[in-house]
């Protein structure tokens, strides 16, 4: 079952963010607090959205956290999927596909023309999963990021 996240899900979402970061070998980079997630998802001006995957017993087994982007070429919004995570013991049960299907449904319903995300180059199981659903890598593009001191320096 896929459902829209509610404020009571924030602690579990935070745990899964940490689990995903550990899987991606970057747990040391997680700084987000539960309060920051609560504000981003459910504050006065939500900037992000989340969906929860539950198993047949109602246990949370995964999540998708996303936000809107905008294509100047197409002139419409799209969804940028920041995190998609299914707990290891629940993988292969269709939860990841169900989460992506829900986001695709939202895109179609709202007239959004893109559903995009990034995947680590070494994550072969995820790449195979995404490509099996028809997703294709965007060749010729490299993601750049400003953070920490470089961001502060440029913004000063």
């Amino acid at each position: 079952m896929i459902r829209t996240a509610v404020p009571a899900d924030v602690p579990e979402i935070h745990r899964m963010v940490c689990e995903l970061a550990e899987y991606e070998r970057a747990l040391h980079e997680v700084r987000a607090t539960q309060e920051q997630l609560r504000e981003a998802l459910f504050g006065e001006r939500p900037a992000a959205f989340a969906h929860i995957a539950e198993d047949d017993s109602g246990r949370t087994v995964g999540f998708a956290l996303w936000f809107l982007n905008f294509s100047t070429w197409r002139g419409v919004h799209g969804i940028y999927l920041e995190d998609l995570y299914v707990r290891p013991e629940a993988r292969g049960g269709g939860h990841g596909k169900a989460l992506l299907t829900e986001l695709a449904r939202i895109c179609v319903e709202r007239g959004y023309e893109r559903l995009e995300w990034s995947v680590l180059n070494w994550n072969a199981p995820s790449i195979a999963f995404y490509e099996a659903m028809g997703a294709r890598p965007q060749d010729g593009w490299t993601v750049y990021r400003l953070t920490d001191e470089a961001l502060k320096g440029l913004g000063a």
Side-chain angles (χ1 to χ4, degrees), residues 31-147:
R31 297 181 189 168
T33 66
Q34 287 184 31
E35 190 50 44
Q36 287 173 313
L37 286 175
R38 184 174 281 101
E39 182 63 27
L41 293 167
F42 304 106
E44 186 177 319
R45 292 181 306 187
F49 308 92
H51 284 78
I52 300 294
E54 295 179 336
D55 65 13
D56 292 337
S57 67
R59 189 175 66 90
T60 299
V61 295
F63 81 108
L65 193 141
W66 57 277
F67 55 88
L68 294 179
N69 59 15
F70 185 81
S71 170
T72 56
W73 290 12
R74 295 196 173 213
V76 296
H77 283 292
I79 286 178
Y80 186 84
L81 176 59
E82 178 67 20
D83 285 337
L84 175 68
Y85 179 71
V86 175
R87 289 186 159 134
E89 67 274 10
R91 291 181 189 153
H95 305 292
K97 183 176 182 181
L99 285 163
L100 281 175
T101 298
E102 176 61 11
L103 297 186
R105 186 196 66 74
I106 291 169
C107 285
V108 170
E109 176 184 276
R110 298 180 186 178
Y112 303 162
E113 295 189 12
R114 289 182 179 169
L115 173 55
E116 298 178 314
W117 60 92
S118 297
V119 60
L120 291 165
N121 292 333
W122 58 259
N123 194 344
S126 292
I127 291 168
F129 169 70
Y130 297 141
E131 289 183 353
M133 287 188 290
R136 296 293 171 252
Q138 298 298 294
D139 294 332
W141 291 88
T142 301
V143 176
Y144 280 84
R145 180 178 293 160
L146 277 171
T147 61

